Amino acid sequence: GSLLPMVINTWNFRDANALAWRILKQSEGGLRQTRNAVVEGCTKCEQMQCDGTVGYGGSPDELGDTTLDAMVMDGSNMDVGAVAGLIGIKDAIRVARFVLERTSHTMLVGQGATNFAVAMGFRTDSLVTPESRAMWQEWKAENCQPNFWHNVNPDPKLSCGPYVPKATPLTRWKEDRARTEYKMGQQHHDTIGMIAIDVDHHIHTGTSTNGARNKIPGRVGDSPIAGAGSYADNEVGAAVATGDGDIMMRFLPSLLAVEAMRAGKTPEAAVDVAIRRIINYHKDFSGAVIAVNRLGNYAAACYGMPEFPFVVSSPAQAVLVKTVKCL
Ligand code: SD4
């Protein structure tokens, strides 16, 4: 039987998948709904604050604010719309869609992205919640130490940060492993990356995240970068990535996986190529890649955690949670 249409996304985000699947099923009758499916599916996660790592009120930066990264990509023509470091607007991937559809640009950042969103009719909001404020205060209490900036600018808000070089590579590695384990327990590093394919092999991908916890304001991860957070090409298939974006964005793992499939590799082999390229250089890496070929065959690979859950809807079964053991 046919494997299409299908929706697949990172982590155990079932409600997002279910909504995208419902929208995609409406495409029967010739309407192309893959873009609506991906954008509204990821929006669901933003509204639900999936795992506290998508949408408002999560991953506070050094100054306690939450900023959002998101993208949407159309595999029929390589069109991309993205926002990075979006300030004060909750609907990150919907704004990314407006960048795609209403501008000739690919990515808008920071306050410029906010101004554009407002011009498009989006409402501004604080993205800080009591939970994110408490997270930030706890982090500050544990990590606050005078640093370089403190001497230049006595603003107490700027007196905490990773600017003080204190760790040797070995302790850094151990800290990262501990951080990874913490991440697993707390599940606070989990971008949604979603792929939708209709029966005519039209593909869209999307991502949405509030990025890395305690990031330096201005930090952008892999999620809004084409080829890093996601990539789609109707001729071949698509891929999405999640994990330590500071490392992943140097390797373009989603592009790597799609290009491996273009060269004839299976989705299994393609995600293996993408993850192994990264861990060749970074044993402290933690993350995952999902790849789907244009026919709807899929695979996932991960590293730096015991296992990685993802959700698939297809004619065989709607909203099926799968888990892959990591390399
Ligand atoms: C980032 N890649 O900003 C995102 C975070 C993430 O699973 O994917 N967590 O680095």
Side-chain angles (χ1 to χ4, degrees), residues 251-310:
F251 292 89
L252 300 180
S254 294
L255 180 68
L256 278 179
V258 169
E259 293 311 308
M261 292 191 289
R262 193 193 306 278
K265 290 206 190 308
T266 62
E268 287 79 7
V271 289
D272 200 72
V273 163
I275 291 289
R276 284 190 193 283
R277 179 74 60 84
I278 299 170
I279 62 182
N280 209 10
Y281 299 90
H282 293 281
K283 302 285 184 262
D284 57 347
F285 166 74
S286 136
V289 177
I290 300 175
V292 188
N293 68 18
R294 65 185 293 280
L295 302 177
N297 300 106
Y298 60 85
C302 52
Y303 186 80
M305 49 194 157
E307 53 185 34
F308 168 68
F310 57 100

Side-chain angles (χ1 to χ4, degrees), residues 11 189-191 209 211-212 219 221-223 242-246 248:
W11 305 106
H189 207 256
D190 308 338
T191 298
T209 187
R219 180 268 189 191
D222 60 310
S223 302
T242 177
D244 185 345
D246 292 297
M248 280 194 295

Side-chain angles (χ1 to χ4, degrees), residues 134-173:
M135 255 187 267
W136 174 61
Q137 277 165 346
E138 189 189 323
W139 171 79
K140 246 173 60 125
E142 277 171 25
N143 293 281
C144 193
Q145 52 186 301
N147 66 25
F148 171 74
W149 295 107
H150 189 62
N151 299 326
V152 179
N153 180 349
D155 180 349
K157 282 196 304 188
L158 293 177
S159 66
C160 298
Y163 304 105
V164 182
K166 58 179 196 305
T168 66
L170 182 64
T171 52
R172 167 79 205 287
W173 185 83

Side-chain angles (χ1 to χ4, degrees), residues 1-8 17 20-28 31 33-34 37 195-202 292 294-298 312-318:
S2 172
L3 303 172
L4 300 177
M6 83 170 311
V7 175
I8 189 165
N17 191 280
W21 178 242
R22 210 156 63 232
I23 292 168
L24 190 60
K25 293 289 279 179
Q26 295 163 5
S27 68
E28 284 162 5
L31 260 177
Q33 294 277 23
T34 52
I195 302 167
I197 313 183
D198 70 13
V199 291
D200 299 318
H201 314 280
H202 296 302
V292 188
R294 65 185 293 280
L295 302 177
N297 300 106
Y298 60 85
V312 194
S313 283
S314 73
Q317 189 180 341

